[in-house]
Amino acid sequence: MCVMRHSNLPILQRCGVLFSIIIVLLTATACTGPVSKDGPIFFPNLPNPPRIQHLRSLSSLKDLGGGGGLAEFVLGKTADEALVNKPYGVAMHKGKLYVVDTRGPGYVVLDLQKKTRTLIRGGSGGRMKKPINITIDKNGSKYITDTGRGQVLKFNVDDKFVRAYGVEGQFKPGDVAIVGNKLYISDLKNHMIQVLDKKNGKLLFKMATPDQKEGVVQFPTNLAVYGKHLFISDTGNFKITKYTLDGKYVHSLGEVGSGLGKFARPKGIAVDKQGHMYVVDSAFENVQIFNKKGKLMLFFGGAGDNPDSINLPTDIYLDYDNVKYFQDYVEPGFKLEYIIIVASQFGVNKINIFGYGKMAGMDYSAQK
């Protein structure tokens, strides 16, 4: 009930004025960047020249809209509703953040401009059972790996189901990499990479197969493409394995261990425009960054309840085209080059947004 004393305005008009004020305040709050009591979180820490800043986390509707207490007043408990239950794969396309929810089951579309959330389950033919990863083509088509169905599901730019790839028993898909008219699919069941024709789904060839003398992979999960090479997160062998796109083994990086540059459970993998490789380790719960020569440059993350904590992380995505949606969260003087998105299955932070860049006036020559 709306009550305003000592006013000559009609009751409905008074309520309308109050509601308008609330909406204006909500909008203003939603456009305001976060205020941190402890200051910005950088990697490496100041006074070292920082490369990565933690920008924000997305876990609830409140995080998406930024409404705070007023949002709870208007929306009720829905403001604290989870954006995603158990995320795995992440990707971005034209102002929308896509997160695969293995418990949805489906993928969630977070519109950063409209501040809305939509769960795509797939309808009848595209109904998802246990979706894991997502890859978005240049035209906005989404390719979802579904380990429950044992297929790769294609959805168009409007999130309508188009078709499925893979016949019964062909593979257990972990991830998809798109190169031209080819789909590179990591096969968790048969421990290899299967390459399909994107148009008709026909199997073109297999690579990293168990019968090879070198470059054999065990439980290949995530994939990344850089130049003419495919990078495979070889989870079972605790390494990253590199192949040419036509199926020739090049070399591997890493080994099992708890030290820097080693892996326990490598999952998500991404490569930036300079050839720096990001590797998510779901056991160490961090992200390690390597240069083109395989030298460890930096690592960040870690388990816990801190704003930048990642707990059982799965996937990572680098984005150059949607930086403007996070610019309000960047520390003054830090020039943002691209966005780093990390998904975590557990903990307080489901989706963590980091930014890669440089701080003005600082010397970065020692970091080469």
Side-chain angles (χ1 to χ4, degrees), residues 26 41 45 56 116 129 142 154 159 164 188 202-203 225 233 243 246 256 258 272 290 300 310 328 333 350 352:
L26 281 172
I41 301 172
N45 295 323
R56 64 175 306 190
T116 59
K129 292 184 177 180
K142 298 96 186 171
K154 179 181 178 180
D159 301 304
L188 294 163
K202 180 182 177 181
L203 176 66
V225 174
S233 191
Y243 271 83
D246 58 0
V256 63
S258 58
D272 71 10
F290 301 86
F300 64 93
I310 55 178
D328 288 344
K350 298 301 183 183
N352 258 320

Side-chain angles (χ1 to χ4, degrees), residues 1 49 76 80 90 116 120 152 156-157 181 185 188 204 211 270 336:
M1 178 178 180
D80 290 322
V90 290
T116 59
I120 307 299
V152 176
N156 66 15
V157 67
N181 290 320
I185 302 171
L188 294 163
L204 299 177
D211 59 348
L336 204 59

